[in-house]
Amino acid sequence: MKILKVIPRQRIGRIKIGMNREEVYSILGMPKKQETIEWIGDYHIEYDNDKVVFIEVPNSIVDTHFVLFNGVDLFGTEAKLLVKYISEYGKYDETDEELGYSYSFKTLGIGLWRPSIFEYEMINREEFQELDEENQLDEIQNLYFESVCVFQENYYD
């Protein structure tokens, strides 16, 4: 397993905010089509004037990588606990309309996202108990975030 370190407002692994396309391509290879927003391998990268302004990786990368912030596994830590931990380093945007699904730590330049809100307490709810096993397993995955990103200062302004 490889380790991808998430450094606030700077990088995920070897891909850095501010890199130009050629630098990104020399590490990850060429995308099928050059666009403002590209998927290259496991990376989702957005450019402004050919410079990286946003980097995202999905949790599917956990088959080959640990994705760490200050030594904490971002995809192996329950969402509620992860938000609490990262909040020790900076506040998240409490006005985010998708709060619970997404957390944007603008002062850190880190974002977290999951498609659905699920907490352990919900396992005992009737709605959950009525789901078939496959759907229950899908819902349980939402205890964790599905993607993590870093972004440049003022990205969301």
Side-chain angles (χ1 to χ4, degrees):
M1 294 284 275
K2 295 180 182 177
I3 294 176
L4 285 182
K5 290 184 180 180
V6 174
I7 309 295
R9 203 171 311 289
Q10 292 181 33
R11 69 171 65 211
I12 295 180
R14 295 173 50 204
I15 307 304
K16 300 176 189 176
I17 298 294
M19 277 184 156
N20 64 41
R21 286 179 190 270
E22 290 72 32
E23 292 170 311
V24 171
Y25 298 163
S26 72
I27 295 169
L28 298 177
M30 289 287 290
K32 292 179 182 173
K33 182 178 177 186
Q34 287 187 334
E35 300 182 81
T36 303
I37 300 173
E38 299 173 334
W39 277 102
I40 308 173
D42 291 314
Y43 286 82
H44 176 211
I45 299 173
E46 184 175 342
Y47 301 91
D48 185 22
N49 294 319
D50 273 355
K51 299 285 186 184
V52 175
V53 295
F54 176 93
I55 309 161
E56 179 181 34
V57 292
N59 65 0
S60 59
I61 203 168
V62 301
D63 294 339
T64 56
H65 295 80
F66 289 109
V67 180
L68 305 178
F69 169 69
N70 288 342
V72 172
D73 184 349
L74 295 177
F75 293 129
T77 304
E78 183 185 346
K80 182 169 37 177
L81 298 174
L82 187 59
V83 169
K84 184 177 180 183
Y85 175 74
I86 296 176
S87 293
E88 294 175 13
Y89 296 90
K91 291 183 68 170
Y92 58 84
D93 179 4
E94 295 178 6
T95 64
D96 186 345
E97 293 177 7
E98 295 188 0
L99 202 58
Y101 298 94
S102 69
Y103 291 84
S104 177
F105 295 85
K106 291 182 180 179
T107 59
L108 296 175
I110 293 178
L112 306 166
W113 180 82
R114 60 183 169 169
S116 180
I117 299 169
F118 191 81
E119 306 296 343
Y120 274 116
E121 305 80 43
M122 298 168 82
I123 290 173
N124 294 320
R125 291 188 181 164
E126 186 176 331
E127 307 89 64
F128 179 79
Q129 295 295 322
E130 291 175 352
L131 296 173
D132 63 41
E133 184 177 351
E134 184 177 338
N135 285 326
Q136 285 180 346
L137 292 173
D138 286 344
E139 281 299 312
I140 288 171
Q141 291 301 308
N142 293 313
L143 283 167
Y144 305 92
F145 286 103
E146 189 168 302
S147 70
V148 60
C149 67
V150 296
F151 47 88
Q152 75 175 14
E153 190 171 359
N154 302 323
Y155 176 79
Y156 283 106
D157 294 343

